[in-house]
Amino acid sequence: MQGIAIVTSAVFFAIGALRSARNLHNGLLRNTMRLAMSFFDTTPLGRVMNRFSKDTDVIDAFLPAVMNNWIWMFSVVAIFIVISISTPWFMSVALPIIILYYFIQKFYVETSRQLKRLESTTRSPIYSHFSESISGQSTIRAYNELQRFTIESETKVDHNQSISYQSIAANRWLGVRLEIVGSFVVLSAALFAVLARETIGEEIVGLSITYALQISMLMSFFVRMTTEVETNIVAVERVEEYSNLPQEAAWKTVDVDPSWPQKGVVEFVNFQVRYREGLDLVLKGINFAVASQEKIGIVGRTGAGKSSLTLSLFRIIEAAGGKIIIDGLDISQIGLHSLRSRLTIIPQDPVLFSGSLRMNIDPFNSYPDDAIWTALEHSHLKSFVKGLADGLEYKISEGGENLSVGQRQLVCLARALLRKTKVLILDEATAAIDIETDELIQNTIRTQFTDCTILTIAHRLNTIMDSDRIIVLDQGMIAEFDSPQTLLADTNSIFYGMAKSSGLIEEEQDDVSTNN
């Protein structure tokens, strides 16, 4: 019966621990993947990695073993019962001993728990610094800063180990006091057994002393396991913290017409937005409408709110007031998946993932190879891909490191050509590439997206000079909104000043002088 009970309890405990660890990890992963982008902008990557590495390892491997050992506390209770029955006088000191154990444990647990939190907190910068050093290793070597980064890493590790040393010192403090109290238990059991030698037999005295000799080790073990459970349960606390952070808006809400948007009419109505609660507005009640198939250029000084406009269209940051309407539908009323899957963006920093080239162009495997090759042809990548041994199955490294910046941007262009939604956003898409590749992308956009509404955030003004209208943003508000010709005709306009600063006005004047 004892064997059956032990096996049954072990099986149930293992199943429960596995299920708990799985639920905690799945909740952490599910919630982290749905957190708002502002969280990742303000949270170091090391903190997130710490939750998925060390804290998850504690929950998976260490905590179940500690809790399983903690169950042996019942052995301590049984020993106190045996000693109390064999030598009833022992009960007079049992209660004070238990109270003393309790206070020692309480003091130690509170201290060790906080030390554990400090140890976990000081571990995160190690992960962050290591990750940053690996990703920026070429720059570190170029500037010959290897020694400085090595010293910084060692300093962070030393700081983390100094906290671990405090935990070890606290553990030694506990060990000394538990040994003293355990010795007092043995002394009490032996003393009362001698005093009561006339009423109890030698065998009972032997039993009492034998169990008393075990109490020191078991009580120490019990207090340590209790402490380990309480200190390592901090890992569960940290995982639960990230599992309960506020998420983005719902992924799917109302059903949206599969063909939406059909025209690509975009309207901003008194739209306001801020990056986080408590910060100032970055867009302060802007109003404008974009007609179907209209090409709009968006310019402004740094911090004027250009990129905020793009983030608002994809609801990466939510509106603080007003609304955005696309084809008569308020985008705040639909799910994020329904919205983001119907808009296309070519970002300033091209985003590629490790995997095949085909997966990067068509992640959901929704288009045939013919359509992909057509998109590659229009994005001027067809000859390059045909020259690869694996073709569309060519393996892209993490972040597209085995492609040039220009090629990565052309892959993003091919991705946009394949989807070809009615609304296209260019977020300074050619800011980081050469003039030749810039011209290729601009020509492709002019010819292949003629029936789309295009919003272009400009880095180079010459890329938007053929736009239908120009929006000039200043301090989160629309300062000017008209055709490029009208804005350039006004020498007092902000756009005229920007064009002159970039040399476009002088070029036009030189051309006029040459013709004369």
Side-chain angles (χ1 to χ4, degrees):
M1 291 298 294
Q2 184 182 12
I4 293 172
I6 291 173
V7 170
T8 303
S9 64
V11 169
F12 276 104
F13 186 86
I15 293 173
L18 179 62
R19 187 172 298 173
S20 300
R22 184 195 301 127
N23 290 341
L24 286 167
H25 177 267
N26 290 348
L28 173 65
L29 179 61
R30 191 182 305 111
N31 200 70
T32 303
M33 295 295 287
R34 296 282 293 112
L35 290 174
M37 287 302 297
S38 59
F39 168 81
F40 297 99
D41 292 336
T42 57
T43 305
L45 182 60
R47 292 185 190 173
V48 181
M49 292 174 60
N50 203 358
R51 261 68 171 187
F52 282 95
S53 54
K54 180 63 178 179
D55 290 332
T56 301
D57 176 59
V58 169
I59 294 171
D60 286 348
F62 192 72
L63 199 54
V66 170
M67 294 187 71
N68 193 31
N69 291 330
W70 182 78
I71 295 174
W72 287 96
M73 64 170 287
F74 295 108
S75 299
V76 177
V77 176
I79 288 174
F80 268 96
I81 293 173
V82 169
I83 297 175
S84 299
I85 292 175
S86 58
T87 53
W89 282 99
F90 178 77
M91 296 176 66
S92 61
V93 296
L95 185 60
I97 290 173
I98 293 173
I99 293 174
L100 184 58
Y101 263 114
Y102 170 76
F103 279 109
I104 292 174
Q105 177 183 329
K106 186 174 183 296
F107 184 82
Y108 173 72
V109 166
E110 291 178 354
T111 304
S112 61
R113 187 168 55 229
Q114 296 303 324
L115 288 172
K116 189 69 176 180
R117 287 197 180 98
L118 286 173
E119 196 268 335
S120 299
T121 303
T122 55
R123 193 188 311 115
S124 296
I126 298 174
Y127 292 146
S128 295
H129 186 267
F130 183 77
S131 176
E132 291 165 2
S133 301
I134 293 297
S135 60
Q137 57 181 313
S138 55
T139 305
I140 295 170
R141 289 173 179 169
Y143 286 92
N144 196 24
E145 292 290 343
L146 290 170
Q147 185 175 3
R148 179 166 70 87
F149 275 79
T150 302
I151 293 173
E152 283 184 13
S153 179
E154 291 174 350
T155 302
K156 294 180 186 299
V157 171
D158 289 345
H159 183 51
N160 175 256
Q161 290 301 305
S162 67
I163 303 298
S164 299
Y165 175 78
Q166 304 300 327
S167 298
I168 296 171
N171 196 287
R172 289 296 89 210
W173 178 91
L174 175 69
V176 171
R177 279 146 186 82
L178 289 181
E179 289 296 331
I180 293 172
V181 176
S183 300
F184 184 71
V185 171
V186 176
L187 173 64
S188 301
L191 180 62
F192 289 125
V194 172
L195 293 176
R197 64 184 180 278
E198 297 180 355
T199 57
I200 59 175
E202 293 83 353
E203 67 282 358
I204 300 298
V205 172
L207 179 67
S208 176
I209 300 299
T210 301
Y211 271 89
L213 290 172
Q214 298 179 24
I215 194 67
S216 176
M217 180 188 68
L218 287 175
M219 280 296 287
S220 177
F221 182 74
F222 167 63
V223 173
R224 290 180 190 279
M225 290 303 103
T226 303
T227 305
E228 291 291 343
V229 169
E230 290 224 22
T231 53
N232 286 284
I233 210 73
V234 170
V236 178
E237 175 187 289
R238 288 161 56 83
V239 167
E240 279 292 294
E241 177 192 359
Y242 274 38
S243 300
N244 294 314
L245 289 173
Q247 298 182 346
E248 284 187 305
W251 195 234
K252 291 184 179 181
T253 52
V254 298
D255 292 330
V256 180
D257 187 345
S259 61
W260 179 86
Q262 297 176 332
K263 299 178 181 179
V265 177
V266 181
E267 185 179 1
F268 282 72
V269 181
N270 194 30
F271 188 75
Q272 302 174 345
V273 73
R274 58 170 53 91
Y275 278 97
R276 289 185 301 281
E277 287 295 327
L279 297 182
D280 295 334
L281 292 172
V282 289
L283 293 178
K284 305 170 184 178
I286 62 174
N287 292 277
F288 70 93
V290 181
S292 177
Q293 301 180 17
E294 192 174 12
K295 311 300 184 282
I296 300 294
I298 303 171
V299 298
R301 305 293 182 188
T302 301
K306 305 186 299 295
S307 296
S308 303
L309 206 66
T310 304
L311 297 176
S312 302
L313 276 168
F314 286 89
R315 288 179 62 191
I316 292 177
I317 52 178
E318 294 287 355
K323 56 187 175 180
I324 302 175
I325 299 173
I326 299 179
D327 278 7
L329 187 60
D330 185 353
I331 65 171
S332 65
Q333 304 301 316
I334 63 177
L336 294 181
H337 178 71
S338 303
L339 171 66
R340 294 171 182 173
S341 62
R342 313 299 173 85
L343 306 178
T344 301
I345 184 171
I346 302 179
Q348 178 179 353
D349 299 317
V351 179
L352 298 182
F353 300 94
S354 57
S356 67
L357 178 63
R358 190 189 202 289
M359 185 275 289
N360 275 279
I361 298 174
D362 179 21
F364 302 105
N365 200 24
S366 305
Y367 301 92
D369 285 357
D370 292 344
I372 295 176
W373 281 110
T374 302
L376 288 171
E377 183 178 4
H378 291 316
S379 61
H380 310 281
L381 278 174
K382 186 175 181 179
S383 58
F384 168 73
V385 177
K386 280 199 168 184
L388 299 173
D390 298 326
L392 289 176
E393 298 304 318
Y394 176 71
K395 296 299 180 184
I396 304 293
S397 63
E398 184 68 34
E401 293 294 333
N402 53 345
L403 297 178
S404 68
V405 176
Q407 288 172 330
R408 290 180 227 164
Q409 196 66 277
L410 292 176
V411 171
C412 291
L413 176 61
R415 191 188 299 159
L417 285 164
L418 196 62
R419 298 179 65 203
K420 206 168 185 178
T421 58
K422 281 293 181 181
V423 179
L424 173 67
I425 297 99
L426 305 176
D427 185 8
E428 297 185 322
T430 58
I433 58 178
D434 58 89
I435 301 295
E436 185 179 347
T437 308
D438 183 6
E439 291 179 356
L440 288 176
I441 292 177
Q442 295 301 331
N443 290 332
T444 301
I445 291 170
R446 292 186 187 102
T447 56
Q448 298 301 318
F449 293 95
T450 54
D451 59 341
C452 299
T453 300
I454 302 179
L455 302 176
T456 305
I457 295 176
H459 180 75
R460 301 181 180 126
L461 289 185
N462 62 303
T463 62
I464 59 163
M465 295 305 290
D466 60 344
S467 300
D468 298 323
R469 287 189 290 173
I470 302 291
I471 295 176
V472 180
L473 289 173
D474 184 34
Q475 296 182 358
M477 302 180 70
I478 296 178
E480 298 167 359
F481 186 25
D482 214 325
S483 65
Q485 296 77 18
T486 304
L487 294 176
L488 288 174
D490 182 5
T491 56
N492 295 321
S493 68
I494 298 175
F495 186 70
Y496 179 87
M498 295 175 69
K500 188 174 182 179
S501 300
S502 61
L504 293 177
I505 302 297
E506 293 178 358
E507 289 176 8
E508 291 181 2
Q509 291 175 348
D510 290 343
D511 291 341
V512 171
S513 301
T514 303
N515 292 334
N516 291 335

